[in-house]
Amino acid sequence: MASVGKQTKLNFTATRPRPVIKKEAPSFHRPITTDQTKTVEQVEAELNILRQFDLNLKYGPCLGMSRLERWERAQRFGLSPPVEVRNIVMSNHGNTLYSECLWFGERGLV
Amino acid sequence: MAAALVRPSCTVTNDSSKFITPPIRRDGIQYNQIYYTRLHEMKDVSMKSAQRKWGSDTVFRNLKDLEPGLACVVIGTLFKEMSLRPSTIKQISDNQRLLPYPPKGKLSSSTDKIFLEDYSQRVILSNLSDNTALTTGMIVAVKGVQNADGNFEVSDYCLPGMPLKNDPLPSLNNDRYVAIVSGLMVGSDWSDQWAIQQLVDYLTGQLGGVHDNDMLSNIVKVIIAGNSIGSVQSNKSSDKVKYSAKNYCAHSIQSVEELDVTLSQLSSSVPVALMPGTYDPANKQLPQQPLHHCMFPKSAKYDNFKSVTNPYSCTIEGHKFIGTCGENIESMSCCTIGMDSLELLELTLMSSHVAPTAPDILCCYPFSNADPFIMDDCPHVYFAGNQPKFQSKLVTGDDGQKVLLICVPSFNSTHSLALINLRTLACTPLTFATTATRLIENKDTQNNIETENVLMTETISDIDDEDY
């Protein structure tokens, strides 16, 4: 049924143009490869090794310390932590995805 | 005119660098790391102690490898579940105001349950005959059998014992004295300025007769073990607050200035080490960081004045000293039944750990790399300040270690300090009696000074000063 009478069109446009801010996805949702020679699978494999190191109870709890600190503490206690963990962390220096434990940045845990 | 007596210089090294803490990480505070490092660092010591007690053929097992019926020894951290312990959840649910004061009063009761935890699991310890002398955080080796319920029935337990590494006592030709005083409480409502001034004058050699000069001129160090700045008690009604015992106002600048004047007089003559205590304006967590030198402009000009950490560890003329301002003993006494300060001090020495109740009851820094409260080498003198009365005891270990345990009384209530003779490793209390002393009515302190295990007691009265 067609509308009877004139319908005034309500103007809902914004009073000023709002800038569009593109937010970066948090770093733990996707792996960041600074090294272009590595494939995504290789990066995932490295991160998996690091996560297994975090979850290994033999070296103590992982929260509250960086991975390197925890590795060095395990070394000092004579627990022979895997050397590849240290190599991976040192080669990706400054990247919190590698240097901090897997719960780092999770809200509600720390 | 007699020649001025010169105080001998002595070698003092400050070994407290492990108690200096970096700022806390921004991403949160985790205390489980301390327990892991503590267990790991003390596992070897506990194992050796257990083998010594029960034979070298004892079977050691982790908690995850326990079999029912197998008699073995497990090494782990104790956890004591105390029903009297105030619960933060309960307080929030009752909508009460929370203040970060340590819980006072006895938390331990006969209904306490003890658990043993190691890297992966925890287990209830049953049949433990004497759980009143154990607290959370101690590393013990328990011998027993796992029963059908899954609990561990204990037949015997063993603490790590005194630290094994013990440097031999250096032999001194002359008497050298160290004075330890605590609880000056300068500037509080009930402090006795006259007694504090007498103390300073006596230690600097301006009081006392000729017979005192020999002893006074050989005092090589004065350690002030905390609670030097008194607080003014406010009259605000605080019936809502459960955690605090008294409601304190912020420290006045005047108290700090008064303390600075007192310390500058003392530092002009004798080396002084100032430790922060529970009521001093330093951080609340152990280890408390040194009070900043800008608070003491007059005293900081002297090289003799050193502001140090709260568990303070130093070596004076080859004698190892370690001590606290009494918080560790106070928290241990909340968690145990029927032990006095000296027994608790001995218990911490036998656990090779200065503050086992940190971080559970006692507020502590979240260490992760190492636990600095573990005693690696055996001290020669182990003191705790701010205790209700003076007590001292010489303890000898199985390997010939000799440790002098001292409970330094609070100067505010007892007007006495502890004087240690390094040559003989004997300790005596020095008491200052002033005619202007007000009797402080406090049911916790006694007016009589404990004189057991002490060679002599000196009482200095202001009436006898003819030279003054």
Side-chain angles (χ1 to χ4, degrees), chain B residues 41 90 113 261 317 360 390 410:
Chain B
E41 287 183 7
K90 225 175 151 191
K113 264 199 272 186
V261 169
E317 288 285 347
D360 190 44
F390 172 83
S410 177

Side-chain angles (χ1 to χ4, degrees), chain B residues 61-81:
Chain B
R61 283 270 190 270
N62 285 330
L63 278 180
K64 59 181 166 68
D65 300 323
L66 281 183
E67 295 157 33
L70 173 68
C72 59
V73 172
V74 188
I75 296 177
T77 319
L78 274 181
F79 177 75
K80 195 169 182 178
E81 193 179 275

Side-chain angles (χ1 to χ4, degrees), chain B residues 258-276:
Chain B
E258 275 179 42
L259 179 66
D260 186 28
V261 169
T262 313
L263 286 179
S264 64
Q265 291 172 9
L266 205 52
S267 312
S268 61
S269 161
V270 64
V272 171
L274 178 69
M275 294 166 66

Side-chain angles (χ1 to χ4, degrees), chain B residues 358-396:
Chain B
D360 190 44
I361 310 278
L362 195 57
C363 211
C364 165
Y365 178 87
F367 290 104
S368 50
N369 279 323
D371 188 351
F373 299 115
I374 296 175
M375 287 197 225
D376 294 317
D377 19 311
C378 200
H380 298 120
V381 178
Y382 179 32
F383 65 90
N386 297 297
Q387 298 306 306
K389 57 181 181 178
F390 172 83
Q391 285 171 298
S392 94
K393 186 175 171 187
L394 190 65
V395 179
T396 45

Side-chain angles (χ1 to χ4, degrees), chain A residues 58-66 69 73 76-77 79 100 104 110, chain B residues 25 27-30 32-34 36-37 40-41 119-120 368-370:
Chain A
K58 192 168 86 162
Y59 311 119
C62 64
L63 260 179
M65 297 177 86
S66 71
E69 279 176 354
R73 183 180 71 181
R76 209 164 19 93
F77 285 166
L79 300 169
E100 300 289 341
F104 183 76
V110 283
Chain B
R25 273 167 64 105
D27 61 323
I29 298 171
Q30 291 294 329
N32 50 6
Q33 304 281 3
I34 308 182
Y36 173 77
T37 43
H40 217 101
E41 287 183 7
Y119 303 109
S120 51
S368 50
N369 279 323

